[in-house]
Amino acid sequence: MIKNFIAKAGWPRIIIGLFLLSLFIAAPFVGVRVDTSLSNTLVRFGMNGVMVLAMIPMVQAGCGLNFGLPLGIIAGLLGATLSIEFNDKILALVLECVAKYNLAFMNEQFVIAHREAIGFASAMIIAVPIAAILGWFYGKLLNRVKGDEMMIATYVGFSSVSFMCIAWLLLPYKHPTMVWGYAGQGLRTTISVEGYWLHVLSDSLAINLNEHLYIPTGMLIFFAVMAILVWIFMKTKTGTAITAVGSNPDFARASGVNVDKMRTISVVLSTVLGAIGIIVYEQSFGFIQLYMGPFYMALPAVASVLLGGASVNKAGIVNVIVGTFLFQGILTMTPSVINSVLQTDMSEVIRLIVSNGMILYALTRRVRNGR
């Protein structure tokens, strides 16, 4: 049994897991609270989980790791900024619908009390169709460059971020909390979501066992729901066809499967999950980060799913859960423990070294496994 577990998990993953466990064990001896560190790890897990989940469809379709995730993130940023731009109009529209249709389960007081949840939902409703359209074009492009998907995806991700650096300055946003005050146009680099949908998901059903141990139940439940939906989709006829295309496109084509269509669907789904994931991230983080903010966000997501045991041609929900927890756990614990041991404040330097080290390991190890 132990040999089977080692063979299945792999020594590198076991060593990383033991290293994380050793950090939790060492924490109280160097003055670091375990409950606070665990809370931070769970929060980071919930923030990043859906973006890591976005890796699964494209990997299963044989499109490789989605280095073009910033394209989905940009769709999410558009949804988030537009929901703030039209926040008052959206609330007015909802109130008008409530009054017009006399909805039994909603009234004006209910809408006002849940205005942050409505704003959060509107951000996703706006972002999803934008992500679907961008994902469709992205999928068509990847179908033209089969065999070089990850290289082209990297270019798409980086170039889309650079293009949006111009767009964020030119798009006609007018909301005073988002535009540069002295110019009256162009979006700020960082936009606060406080007063709109800050922690709307994180604090929902949250558990505070003491002043140090906080469990973002709502965010974890949301991730679980998204993971279950992805798992169910991959078990449907379309999901099975996507996996077949990734396993053996020639056999899938001979069986009557439209290979290009399945690949495009997987890219669209991955892009949509990326858009939803960044909105979940923002409501917990508290800010919308524009311009170069999305530039490197694909790398931690890719590294997380690889650390969880996925490969460039096979990934599952367990890989996402394990990898995200390992990546975010080590990223949370290492700076705290090392700072306490060295009696210095090098949190950001240590965090960069650790995160980039894990990304480098994940991207350079052997990751092509059989189906």
Side-chain angles (χ1 to χ4, degrees):
M1 181 179 293
I2 296 177
K3 288 184 178 179
N4 290 336
F5 173 78
I6 293 174
K8 189 173 182 179
W11 275 112
R13 201 161 302 105
I14 292 173
I15 292 171
I16 292 172
L18 291 174
F19 176 64
L20 178 58
L21 179 61
S22 67
L23 289 174
F24 275 107
I25 294 173
F29 296 99
V30 295
V32 176
R33 294 192 64 95
V34 175
D35 48 5
T36 301
S37 299
L38 181 59
S39 296
N40 292 336
T41 300
L42 291 175
V43 169
R44 286 177 173 272
F45 176 90
M47 289 170 62
N48 293 274
V50 179
M51 284 190 285
V52 181
L53 195 66
M55 295 291 128
I56 291 180
M58 282 183 58
V59 169
Q60 288 295 99
C63 296
L65 299 162
N66 186 11
F67 287 98
L69 185 65
L71 196 65
I73 291 174
I74 286 170
L77 296 177
L78 283 168
T81 52
L82 288 172
S83 74
I84 294 177
E85 176 76 10
F86 299 108
N87 181 66
D88 294 337
K89 293 182 179 180
I90 291 170
L91 287 176
L93 180 61
V94 173
L95 288 171
E96 182 181 337
C97 292
V98 169
K100 182 178 180 179
Y101 296 105
N102 194 25
L103 300 175
F105 61 93
M106 291 180 86
N107 53 38
E108 185 175 347
Q109 290 74 23
F110 179 90
V111 172
I112 294 174
H114 294 83
R115 61 186 182 278
E116 292 186 350
I118 293 171
F120 179 73
S122 67
M124 289 196 177
I125 291 171
I126 296 170
V128 166
I130 296 174
I133 294 170
L134 293 177
W136 186 83
F137 284 107
Y138 179 27
K140 293 296 182 182
L141 174 62
L142 293 186
N143 283 338
R144 300 288 295 272
V145 293
K146 292 174 183 174
D148 296 314
E149 290 93 344
M150 286 191 286
M151 180 181 69
I152 300 301
T154 304
Y155 174 78
V156 168
F158 287 176
S159 61
S160 61
V161 172
S162 300
F163 172 79
M164 287 306 295
C165 285
I166 302 172
W168 295 128
L169 289 172
L170 300 178
L171 289 172
Y173 286 92
K174 299 298 181 184
H175 200 285
T177 64
M178 295 198 301
V179 298
W180 291 108
Y182 64 87
Q185 65 180 16
L187 290 175
R188 299 178 183 182
T189 304
T190 303
I191 299 168
S192 174
V193 298
E194 186 175 1
Y196 299 100
W197 26 273
L198 176 64
H199 294 166
V200 64
L201 199 59
S202 303
D203 289 346
S204 178
L205 304 175
I207 299 174
N208 288 282
L209 298 180
N210 56 49
E211 61 177 320
H212 298 284
L213 183 55
Y214 166 81
I215 302 176
T217 312
M219 195 158 53
L220 297 178
I221 291 174
F222 185 87
F223 168 76
V225 170
M226 296 302 298
I228 291 170
L229 289 176
V230 170
W231 181 81
I232 291 173
F233 174 79
M234 296 308 297
K235 295 296 181 182
T236 63
K237 184 177 179 180
T238 301
T240 303
I242 287 174
T243 302
V245 168
S247 299
N248 191 326
D250 294 330
F251 177 80
R253 188 179 292 107
S255 300
V257 176
N258 188 328
V259 173
D260 287 353
K261 180 180 178 180
M262 292 302 108
R263 284 167 56 94
T264 301
I265 291 173
S266 74
V267 176
V268 169
L269 181 57
S270 182
T271 307
V272 168
L273 287 171
I276 293 173
I278 192 60
I279 296 174
V280 174
Y281 182 96
E282 289 162 353
Q283 63 81 35
S284 180
F285 185 64
F287 297 93
I288 301 170
Q289 294 179 299
L290 303 179
Y291 299 96
M292 300 305 290
F295 200 72
Y296 294 109
M297 294 198 77
L299 294 179
V302 169
S304 294
V305 76
L306 291 178
L307 285 177
S311 66
V312 295
N313 62 338
K314 184 178 181 181
I317 305 297
V318 174
N319 302 135
V320 171
I321 295 172
V322 173
T324 305
F325 188 83
L326 287 176
F327 188 92
Q328 298 303 328
I330 292 175
L331 199 61
T332 299
M333 292 296 299
T334 306
S336 301
V337 173
I338 292 180
N339 278 340
S340 297
V341 172
L342 299 179
Q343 295 296 309
T344 184
D345 186 10
M346 298 178 61
S347 300
E348 193 57 33
V349 174
I350 296 170
R351 187 174 289 110
L352 286 172
I353 293 173
V354 171
S355 62
N356 290 332
M358 287 191 292
I359 290 170
L360 182 63
Y361 161 73
L363 295 179
T364 54
R365 72 183 183 86
R366 290 188 62 186
V367 293
R368 181 169 295 276
N369 299 326
R371 289 275 182 167

